[in-house]
Amino acid sequence: MIPCAKFRGCLLAALAGDCLGAQFEFSPRRSSFRTVWLAFDANMRERRRCRRWPLVYTDDTALTRAVCESLVDCRGRVEPASLARSLTDAYFKATDRGYGAAAGGVFKDLRDANFADPFGPAAALFEGRGSYGNGGAMRAAPLGLIGAAAAAAPNAEEVHLATRVTHSNALALAGARLMAGPCDWRCASTASTWTAEAAAADTACGLHEGEASSYTSAMRQVKEFLGKHPASSAVDEEARAVAGALGTEVTALRSVPTAIYCALRTLRPSHRVHPLISEWQPPGNQNPSIDEALSIEQRQQQQRLLDCLTFAVSLGGDTDTIASMAGAIVGAALGADALPASLMLACEASDAVDSLATRLHRVAYSS
Ligand code: 8NA
Ligand code: MG
Ligand code: MG
Ligand code: MG
Protein backbone atom coordinates (compact mmCIF):
# COMPACT_ATOMS: atom_id res chain seq x y z
CA MET A 1 0.00 0.00 0.00
CA ILE A 2 1.24 3.48 -0.81
CA PRO A 3 1.26 5.41 2.48
CA CYS A 4 -1.21 8.27 2.77
CA ALA A 5 1.78 10.53 3.54
CA LYS A 6 2.90 10.09 -0.10
CA PHE A 7 -0.47 11.25 -1.43
CA ARG A 8 -0.35 14.23 0.91
CA GLY A 9 3.28 14.98 0.05
CA CYS A 10 2.52 14.91 -3.66
CA LEU A 11 -0.49 17.22 -3.59
CA LEU A 12 0.89 19.59 -0.94
CA ALA A 13 4.21 20.00 -2.76
CA ALA A 14 2.30 20.62 -6.00
CA LEU A 15 0.37 23.35 -4.17
CA ALA A 16 3.59 24.83 -2.76
CA GLY A 17 5.26 24.90 -6.19
CA ASP A 18 2.25 26.68 -7.68
CA CYS A 19 2.01 29.24 -4.84
CA LEU A 20 5.75 29.94 -4.68
CA GLY A 21 6.19 29.97 -8.46
CA ALA A 22 3.23 32.22 -9.23
CA GLN A 23 5.00 35.34 -7.96
CA PHE A 24 7.69 34.82 -10.62
CA GLU A 25 5.55 33.56 -13.54
CA PHE A 26 6.70 35.17 -16.79
CA SER A 27 8.90 37.74 -15.08
CA PRO A 28 10.72 39.56 -17.86
CA ARG A 29 14.07 38.32 -16.54
CA ARG A 30 15.07 35.01 -15.06
CA SER A 31 15.88 35.35 -11.35
CA SER A 32 18.98 33.87 -9.76
CA PHE A 33 18.72 30.93 -7.37
CA ARG A 34 19.64 33.31 -4.56
CA THR A 35 16.94 35.85 -5.43
CA VAL A 36 14.28 33.15 -5.63
CA TRP A 37 15.38 31.61 -2.34
CA LEU A 38 15.34 34.97 -0.51
CA ALA A 39 11.76 35.50 -1.71
CA PHE A 40 10.74 32.02 -0.49
CA ASP A 41 12.35 32.66 2.88
CA ALA A 42 10.43 35.94 3.19
CA ASN A 43 7.20 34.16 2.17
CA MET A 44 7.66 31.63 4.96
CA ARG A 45 8.17 34.37 7.55
CA GLU A 46 5.36 36.57 6.32
CA ARG A 47 2.52 34.44 7.69
CA ARG A 48 3.41 35.67 11.11
CA ARG A 49 2.60 39.23 10.16
CA CYS A 50 -0.52 39.04 8.01
CA ARG A 51 -3.87 37.47 8.53
CA ARG A 52 -4.42 36.17 5.02
CA TRP A 53 -2.13 33.78 3.20
CA PRO A 54 0.75 35.59 1.59
CA LEU A 55 0.70 33.11 -1.29
CA VAL A 56 -2.42 32.39 -3.35
CA TYR A 57 -2.69 29.45 -5.68
CA THR A 58 -3.46 29.65 -9.39
CA ASP A 59 -5.17 27.58 -12.10
CA ASP A 60 -2.73 24.69 -11.53
CA THR A 61 -4.08 24.02 -8.03
CA ALA A 62 -7.68 25.03 -8.77
CA LEU A 63 -7.85 22.36 -11.48
CA THR A 64 -5.85 19.74 -9.55
CA ARG A 65 -8.34 20.11 -6.70
CA ALA A 66 -11.17 19.74 -9.21
CA VAL A 67 -9.66 16.50 -10.57
CA CYS A 68 -9.34 15.13 -7.02
CA GLU A 69 -12.92 16.04 -6.19
CA SER A 70 -14.27 14.34 -9.29
CA LEU A 71 -12.16 11.22 -8.63
CA VAL A 72 -13.45 11.08 -5.05
CA ASP A 73 -17.07 11.53 -6.19
CA CYS A 74 -16.68 8.80 -8.83
CA ARG A 75 -14.95 6.35 -6.47
CA GLY A 76 -11.58 6.61 -8.18
CA ARG A 77 -12.77 6.48 -11.78
CA VAL A 78 -12.50 9.11 -14.49
CA GLU A 79 -16.03 10.09 -15.51
CA PRO A 80 -15.63 12.75 -18.22
CA ALA A 81 -18.97 14.51 -17.59
CA SER A 82 -18.31 14.72 -13.83
CA LEU A 83 -14.77 15.90 -14.45
CA ALA A 84 -15.91 18.53 -16.97
CA ARG A 85 -18.40 19.87 -14.45
CA SER A 86 -15.85 19.88 -11.63
CA LEU A 87 -13.21 21.73 -13.72
CA THR A 88 -15.81 24.21 -14.98
CA ASP A 89 -17.10 24.90 -11.46
CA ALA A 90 -13.53 25.57 -10.31
CA TYR A 91 -13.02 28.00 -13.18
CA PHE A 92 -16.21 29.99 -12.58
CA LYS A 93 -15.61 30.11 -8.84
CA ALA A 94 -12.58 32.33 -9.60
CA THR A 95 -11.79 33.13 -13.23
CA ASP A 96 -8.84 35.32 -12.24
CA ARG A 97 -6.41 32.57 -11.27
CA GLY A 98 -4.14 32.97 -14.31
CA TYR A 99 -5.77 30.54 -16.72
CA GLY A 100 -4.32 29.92 -20.17
CA ALA A 101 -5.90 31.93 -22.96
CA ALA A 102 -7.97 29.04 -24.35
CA ALA A 103 -9.35 27.72 -21.05
CA GLY A 104 -12.15 30.24 -20.45
CA GLY A 105 -13.82 29.56 -23.80
CA VAL A 106 -13.78 25.80 -23.24
CA PHE A 107 -15.36 26.08 -19.79
CA LYS A 108 -18.02 28.50 -21.04
CA ASP A 109 -18.93 26.19 -23.95
CA LEU A 110 -19.05 23.15 -21.64
CA ARG A 111 -21.41 24.95 -19.28
CA ASP A 112 -23.61 26.37 -22.07
CA ALA A 113 -24.16 22.84 -23.45
CA ASN A 114 -24.77 21.48 -19.93
CA PHE A 115 -21.80 19.12 -20.28
CA ALA A 116 -23.55 17.08 -22.98
CA ASP A 117 -20.31 16.62 -24.93
CA PRO A 118 -17.35 16.79 -22.50
CA PHE A 119 -14.79 16.60 -25.33
CA GLY A 120 -16.42 18.79 -27.97
CA PRO A 121 -15.28 22.31 -27.00
CA ALA A 122 -11.63 21.28 -26.46
CA ALA A 123 -11.50 19.34 -29.72
CA ALA A 124 -12.59 22.42 -31.67
CA LEU A 125 -9.76 24.62 -30.33
CA PHE A 126 -7.02 25.88 -32.63
CA GLU A 127 -8.89 24.94 -35.81
CA GLY A 128 -9.42 21.40 -34.64
CA ARG A 129 -5.83 20.69 -33.63
CA GLY A 130 -6.60 21.07 -29.92
CA SER A 131 -4.43 22.76 -27.28
CA TYR A 132 -0.89 21.58 -26.69
CA GLY A 133 -0.60 23.70 -23.53
CA ASN A 134 0.57 22.16 -20.26
CA GLY A 135 -2.84 22.61 -18.60
CA GLY A 136 -3.59 18.87 -18.79
CA ALA A 137 -0.22 17.80 -17.40
CA MET A 138 -0.33 20.36 -14.58
CA ARG A 139 -3.41 18.68 -13.06
CA ALA A 140 -2.41 15.04 -13.75
CA ALA A 141 -0.77 14.18 -10.40
CA PRO A 142 -3.96 12.86 -8.74
CA LEU A 143 -4.45 10.51 -11.69
CA GLY A 144 -0.92 9.21 -11.14
CA LEU A 145 -1.52 8.69 -7.43
CA ILE A 146 -4.72 6.80 -7.78
CA GLY A 147 -3.38 4.85 -10.77
CA ALA A 148 -0.33 3.76 -8.79
CA ALA A 149 -2.49 2.78 -5.83
CA ALA A 150 -5.21 0.75 -7.48
CA ALA A 151 -4.07 -1.55 -10.24
CA ALA A 152 -7.55 -1.21 -11.71
CA ALA A 153 -7.60 2.54 -12.35
CA PRO A 154 -7.04 4.99 -13.89
CA ASN A 155 -5.15 3.47 -16.78
CA ALA A 156 -3.50 5.40 -19.58
CA GLU A 157 -6.79 5.46 -21.44
CA GLU A 158 -8.47 7.21 -18.52
CA VAL A 159 -5.67 9.77 -18.34
CA HIS A 160 -6.44 10.54 -21.97
CA LEU A 161 -10.13 10.97 -21.21
CA ALA A 162 -9.33 13.24 -18.26
CA THR A 163 -7.02 15.38 -20.38
CA ARG A 164 -9.21 15.59 -23.49
CA VAL A 165 -11.83 17.59 -21.60
CA THR A 166 -9.58 20.61 -22.17
CA HIS A 167 -6.58 19.45 -24.21
CA SER A 168 -6.92 17.15 -27.22
CA ASN A 169 -3.60 17.69 -29.00
CA ALA A 170 -1.29 14.63 -28.96
CA LEU A 171 1.51 16.67 -27.35
CA ALA A 172 -0.73 17.64 -24.43
CA LEU A 173 -2.04 14.08 -24.05
CA ALA A 174 1.44 12.54 -23.97
CA GLY A 175 2.64 15.18 -21.48
CA ALA A 176 -0.28 14.47 -19.14
CA ARG A 177 0.28 10.76 -19.45
CA LEU A 178 3.91 11.21 -18.52
CA MET A 179 3.01 13.33 -15.46
CA ALA A 180 0.42 10.73 -14.40
CA GLY A 181 2.76 7.84 -15.12
CA PRO A 182 5.52 6.79 -12.79
CA CYS A 183 4.19 8.28 -9.57
CA ASP A 184 7.47 7.93 -7.77
CA TRP A 185 6.35 6.98 -4.33
CA ARG A 186 9.16 4.47 -3.90
CA CYS A 187 11.72 7.19 -4.63
CA ALA A 188 13.29 4.80 -7.12
CA SER A 189 12.79 6.31 -10.56
CA THR A 190 15.80 7.05 -12.69
CA ALA A 191 16.11 8.93 -15.95
CA SER A 192 15.97 5.56 -17.73
CA THR A 193 12.59 4.72 -16.16
CA TRP A 194 11.21 8.07 -17.27
CA THR A 195 12.65 7.66 -20.77
CA ALA A 196 10.83 4.35 -21.09
CA GLU A 197 7.63 6.02 -19.89
CA ALA A 198 8.16 8.79 -22.41
CA ALA A 199 8.54 6.27 -25.23
CA ALA A 200 5.29 4.59 -24.18
CA ALA A 201 3.52 7.96 -24.01
CA ASP A 202 4.84 8.97 -27.45
CA THR A 203 3.70 5.70 -29.00
CA ALA A 204 0.26 5.84 -27.39
CA CYS A 205 -0.26 9.38 -28.68
CA GLY A 206 1.16 8.83 -32.17
CA LEU A 207 4.30 10.90 -31.63
CA HIS A 208 7.39 9.48 -33.21
CA GLU A 209 10.73 8.95 -31.59
CA GLY A 210 13.59 10.75 -33.23
CA GLU A 211 11.41 13.69 -34.21
CA ALA A 212 12.29 16.88 -32.41
CA SER A 213 8.79 17.01 -30.98
CA SER A 214 8.72 13.84 -28.96
CA TYR A 215 9.04 13.22 -25.25
CA THR A 216 11.56 10.48 -25.91
CA SER A 217 14.00 12.98 -27.40
CA ALA A 218 13.32 15.46 -24.62
CA MET A 219 13.98 12.79 -21.97
CA ARG A 220 17.21 11.86 -23.70
CA GLN A 221 18.25 15.49 -23.21
CA VAL A 222 17.20 15.31 -19.56
CA LYS A 223 19.46 12.32 -19.08
CA GLU A 224 22.32 14.07 -20.82
CA PHE A 225 21.93 17.14 -18.61
CA LEU A 226 21.88 15.04 -15.44
CA GLY A 227 25.23 13.63 -16.51
CA LYS A 228 26.61 16.99 -17.58
CA HIS A 229 25.72 18.88 -14.40
CA PRO A 230 27.10 17.14 -11.36
CA ALA A 231 25.42 17.87 -8.05
CA SER A 232 28.03 20.49 -7.23
CA SER A 233 27.88 22.50 -10.47
CA ALA A 234 27.23 26.23 -10.55
CA VAL A 235 23.52 26.45 -10.10
CA ASP A 236 22.73 29.56 -12.15
CA GLU A 237 24.79 28.33 -15.07
CA GLU A 238 22.96 25.01 -14.91
CA ALA A 239 19.58 26.81 -14.79
CA ARG A 240 20.40 28.90 -17.86
CA ALA A 241 21.48 25.83 -19.85
CA VAL A 242 18.49 23.71 -18.78
CA ALA A 243 15.96 26.49 -19.44
CA GLY A 244 17.40 27.04 -22.91
CA ALA A 245 17.53 23.39 -23.91
CA LEU A 246 14.40 21.93 -22.29
CA GLY A 247 12.24 25.05 -22.21
CA THR A 248 10.08 26.90 -19.70
CA GLU A 249 7.06 27.54 -21.90
CA VAL A 250 3.30 27.03 -21.41
CA THR A 251 3.41 24.14 -23.90
CA ALA A 252 3.49 20.62 -22.46
CA LEU A 253 6.50 19.52 -24.48
CA ARG A 254 8.59 22.47 -23.31
CA SER A 255 7.70 22.20 -19.61
CA VAL A 256 6.96 18.59 -18.56
CA PRO A 257 10.48 17.26 -19.28
CA THR A 258 11.86 20.38 -17.58
CA ALA A 259 9.87 19.59 -14.43
CA ILE A 260 11.06 15.98 -14.55
CA TYR A 261 14.65 17.23 -14.76
CA CYS A 262 14.13 19.40 -11.67
CA ALA A 263 12.75 16.41 -9.75
CA LEU A 264 15.37 13.87 -10.83
CA ARG A 265 18.16 16.33 -10.13
CA THR A 266 16.96 16.64 -6.54
CA LEU A 267 16.20 12.97 -5.96
CA ARG A 268 19.54 11.58 -7.13
CA PRO A 269 21.43 10.28 -4.12
CA SER A 270 24.51 12.39 -4.90
CA HIS A 271 22.53 15.64 -4.87
CA ARG A 272 23.77 18.26 -2.45
CA VAL A 273 21.34 20.91 -1.30
CA HIS A 274 22.47 24.49 -2.03
CA PRO A 275 24.37 25.97 0.96
CA LEU A 276 21.83 28.81 1.27
CA ILE A 277 19.22 26.19 2.05
CA SER A 278 21.28 23.72 4.05
CA GLU A 279 22.22 26.59 6.40
CA TRP A 280 18.64 27.86 6.61
CA GLN A 281 16.94 28.13 9.97
CA PRO A 282 13.14 27.89 9.84
CA PRO A 283 11.33 31.03 11.04
CA GLY A 284 11.53 31.70 14.78
CA ASN A 285 8.45 30.36 16.42
CA GLN A 286 5.59 32.02 18.18
CA ASN A 287 3.89 28.67 18.05
CA PRO A 288 6.26 26.09 19.49
CA SER A 289 4.64 23.22 17.61
CA ILE A 290 5.77 24.69 14.30
CA ASP A 291 8.98 23.61 12.63
CA GLU A 292 10.47 22.43 15.89
CA ALA A 293 11.25 18.95 17.02
CA LEU A 294 12.13 17.81 13.53
CA SER A 295 14.40 14.84 13.11
CA ILE A 296 17.57 15.36 11.11
CA GLU A 297 16.09 13.27 8.33
CA GLN A 298 12.90 15.35 8.18
CA ARG A 299 14.91 18.55 8.06
CA GLN A 300 17.01 17.16 5.21
CA GLN A 301 13.90 16.17 3.28
CA GLN A 302 12.43 19.64 3.72
CA GLN A 303 15.66 21.16 2.48
CA ARG A 304 15.63 18.87 -0.53
CA LEU A 305 12.12 19.84 -1.51
CA LEU A 306 12.87 23.56 -1.03
CA ASP A 307 16.02 23.14 -3.13
CA CYS A 308 13.97 21.55 -5.92
CA LEU A 309 11.30 24.27 -5.92
CA THR A 310 13.90 27.07 -5.80
CA PHE A 311 15.79 25.62 -8.75
CA ALA A 312 12.56 25.11 -10.74
CA VAL A 313 11.46 28.71 -10.22
CA SER A 314 14.96 30.02 -11.04
CA LEU A 315 14.51 28.61 -14.55
CA GLY A 316 12.02 31.40 -15.31
CA GLY A 317 9.07 31.31 -17.73
CA ASP A 318 6.10 29.23 -16.60
CA THR A 319 7.46 29.02 -13.07
CA ASP A 320 4.27 28.10 -11.19
CA THR A 321 3.44 25.19 -13.43
CA ILE A 322 6.97 23.77 -13.69
CA ALA A 323 7.53 24.05 -9.91
CA SER A 324 4.12 22.52 -9.25
CA MET A 325 4.79 19.51 -11.50
CA ALA A 326 8.32 19.03 -10.11
CA GLY A 327 6.90 19.36 -6.59
CA ALA A 328 4.32 16.66 -7.26
CA ILE A 329 7.03 14.16 -8.20
CA VAL A 330 9.39 15.00 -5.35
CA GLY A 331 6.54 15.28 -2.82
CA ALA A 332 5.30 11.80 -3.74
CA ALA A 333 8.82 10.45 -3.30
CA LEU A 334 9.56 12.15 0.04
CA GLY A 335 6.11 12.29 1.63
CA ALA A 336 4.33 14.99 3.63
CA ASP A 337 7.17 15.35 6.17
CA ALA A 338 9.07 17.20 3.44
CA LEU A 339 6.69 20.17 3.67
CA PRO A 340 7.86 22.75 6.25
CA ALA A 341 5.02 23.89 8.51
CA SER A 342 5.91 27.52 7.84
CA LEU A 343 5.49 26.94 4.10
CA MET A 344 2.12 25.27 4.58
CA LEU A 345 0.97 28.23 6.67
CA ALA A 346 1.99 30.57 3.85
CA CYS A 347 0.06 28.73 1.12
CA GLU A 348 -3.64 29.27 0.50
CA ALA A 349 -5.89 26.31 1.30
CA SER A 350 -3.15 23.93 2.41
CA ASP A 351 -5.56 22.40 4.95
CA ALA A 352 -8.17 21.77 2.27
CA VAL A 353 -5.60 20.21 -0.08
CA ASP A 354 -4.28 18.07 2.76
CA SER A 355 -7.71 16.66 3.60
CA LEU A 356 -8.51 16.14 -0.09
CA ALA A 357 -5.31 14.07 -0.41
CA THR A 358 -6.44 11.94 2.53
CA ARG A 359 -9.88 11.44 0.98
CA LEU A 360 -8.31 10.48 -2.35
CA HIS A 361 -6.14 7.94 -0.54
CA ARG A 362 -9.18 6.45 1.17
CA VAL A 363 -10.97 6.13 -2.17
CA ALA A 364 -7.91 4.59 -3.81
CA TYR A 365 -7.90 1.73 -1.31
CA SER A 366 -11.59 1.21 -0.77
CA SER A 367 -12.58 -0.21 -4.15
P1 8NA B 1 -3.93 26.91 -23.16
O1 8NA B 1 -4.73 25.72 -23.51
O2 8NA B 1 -4.48 28.26 -23.47
O3 8NA B 1 -2.50 26.78 -23.87
C1 8NA B 1 -1.50 27.70 -23.60
C2 8NA B 1 -1.10 28.50 -24.85
O4 8NA B 1 -0.36 27.68 -25.76
C3 8NA B 1 -2.27 28.99 -25.72
O5 8NA B 1 -2.85 30.13 -25.14
C4 8NA B 1 -1.59 29.22 -27.04
O6 8NA B 1 -0.87 30.42 -27.04
C5 8NA B 1 -0.61 28.06 -27.10
N1 8NA B 1 -1.19 26.91 -27.85
C6 8NA B 1 -1.71 25.77 -27.32
N2 8NA B 1 -2.11 24.93 -28.29
C7 8NA B 1 -1.87 25.54 -29.46
C8 8NA B 1 -2.07 25.16 -30.83
N3 8NA B 1 -2.61 23.97 -31.19
N4 8NA B 1 -1.69 26.04 -31.78
C9 8NA B 1 -1.14 27.23 -31.43
N5 8NA B 1 -0.92 27.64 -30.17
C10 8NA B 1 -1.27 26.81 -29.18
O7 8NA B 1 -3.57 26.94 -21.62
P2 8NA B 1 -3.38 25.74 -20.58
O8 8NA B 1 -4.64 25.44 -19.93
O9 8NA B 1 -2.63 24.66 -21.26
O10 8NA B 1 -2.50 26.41 -19.45
C11 8NA B 1 -1.14 26.49 -19.55
C12 8NA B 1 -0.58 27.62 -18.73
O11 8NA B 1 -1.54 28.65 -18.65
C13 8NA B 1 -0.19 27.32 -17.34
O12 8NA B 1 1.12 27.74 -17.14
C14 8NA B 1 -1.06 28.23 -16.52
O13 8NA B 1 -0.47 28.55 -15.31
C15 8NA B 1 -1.53 29.29 -17.43
N6 8NA B 1 -1.02 30.61 -17.73
C16 8NA B 1 -0.88 31.02 -19.04
C17 8NA B 1 -0.48 32.28 -19.37
C18 8NA B 1 -0.34 32.70 -20.80
O14 8NA B 1 0.11 33.79 -21.08
N7 8NA B 1 -0.71 31.86 -21.77
C19 8NA B 1 -0.22 33.20 -18.36
C20 8NA B 1 -0.38 32.79 -17.07
C21 8NA B 1 -0.80 31.51 -16.79
MG1 MG C 1 -0.87 28.82 -12.96
MG1 MG D 1 -5.69 25.76 -18.06
MG1 MG E 1 1.71 28.48 -15.23
Side-chain angles (χ1 to χ4, degrees):
M1 193 199 247
I2 301 177
C4 184
K6 302 281 189 176
F7 274 52
R8 295 172 52 231
C10 175
L11 296 181
L12 288 171
L15 167 73
D18 178 19
C19 286
L20 291 168
Q23 61 196 319
F24 288 92
E25 196 183 21
F26 300 110
S27 298
R29 288 165 57 100
R30 216 155 32 75
S31 304
S32 68
F33 189 97
R34 184 189 180 80
T35 303
V36 172
W37 170 250
L38 291 178
F40 286 8
D41 182 40
N43 296 146
M44 288 188 278
R45 294 173 195 281
E46 205 176 342
R47 178 64 172 102
R48 280 151 187 81
R49 280 187 269 111
C50 64
R51 257 183 283 130
R52 280 184 59 77
W53 308 280
L55 299 170
V56 294
Y57 67 70
T58 75
D59 57 340
D60 307 68
T61 301
L63 298 184
T64 300
R65 286 182 74 174
V67 171
C68 287
E69 271 153 16
S70 178
L71 285 170
V72 168
D73 287 348
C74 301
R75 279 172 281 129
R77 310 298 307 198
V78 173
E79 303 274 358
S82 153
L83 181 62
R85 194 180 288 274
S86 184
L87 296 171
T88 302
D89 286 350
Y91 173 75
F92 282 108
K93 210 181 273 175
T95 57
D96 59 352
R97 289 201 187 262
Y99 284 87
V106 170
F107 294 129
K108 188 177 178 303
D109 290 350
L110 284 168
R111 188 178 66 173
D112 288 350
N114 199 25
F115 310 100
D117 176 8
F119 307 119
L125 285 178
F126 299 103
E127 294 164 345
R129 294 188 307 276
S131 171
Y132 48 60
N134 56 21
M138 78 189 183
R139 61 168 198 253
L143 300 166
L145 287 172
I146 206 156
N155 56 32
E157 201 46 52
E158 285 183 288
V159 176
H160 277 220
L161 293 179
T163 308
R164 276 176 53 212
V165 173
T166 52
H167 291 69
S168 67
N169 189 283
L171 287 165
L173 294 170
R177 184 183 153 145
L178 199 47
M179 272 309 298
C183 167
D184 196 8
W185 67 277
R186 283 197 186 86
C187 201
S189 289
T190 61
S192 303
T193 322
W194 284 91
T195 307
E197 290 289 333
D202 281 344
T203 305
C205 300
L207 301 169
H208 298 293
E209 196 199 329
E211 286 174 20
S213 53
S214 82
Y215 287 88
T216 318
S217 348
M219 280 309 304
R220 202 165 289 129
Q221 266 186 307
V222 166
K223 211 168 161 181
E224 220 172 272
F225 268 98
L226 285 168
K228 208 186 286 178
H229 294 278
S232 56
S233 78
V235 72
D236 288 313
E237 198 181 300
E238 178 185 357
R240 193 177 321 112
V242 169
L246 298 173
T248 58
E249 283 121 69
V250 296
T251 62
L253 184 63
R254 298 277 293 166
S255 58
V256 171
T258 315
I260 295 170
Y261 177 84
C262 295
L264 288 178
R265 170 188 186 276
T266 308
L267 291 174
R268 60 187 165 176
S270 62
H271 182 68
R272 261 195 238 115
V273 165
H274 194 283
L276 280 172
I277 297 178
S278 61
E279 285 154 21
W280 175 65
Q281 292 298 322
N285 294 319
Q286 288 143 16
N287 177 347
S289 69
I290 294 168
D291 283 337
E292 278 183 358
L294 291 181
S295 68
I296 291 171
E297 197 197 349
Q298 266 176 301
R299 183 141 297 173
Q300 284 171 347
Q301 291 191 337
Q302 295 188 354
Q303 291 173 353
R304 267 222 256 184
L305 178 68
L306 290 169
D307 187 76
C308 171
L309 298 180
T310 308
F311 180 77
V313 173
S314 79
L315 298 177
D318 194 1
T319 47
D320 62 340
T321 304
I322 292 170
S324 183
M325 295 191 293
I329 300 169
V330 173
L334 302 181
D337 278 352
L339 279 304
S342 49
L343 177 56
M344 293 291 83
L345 276 177
C347 292
E348 177 183 2
S350 57
D351 285 346
V353 170
D354 199 357
S355 70
L356 196 47
T358 303
R359 278 161 63 211
L360 189 68
H361 186 262
R362 204 173 301 136
V363 162
Y365 287 103
S366 68
S367 41

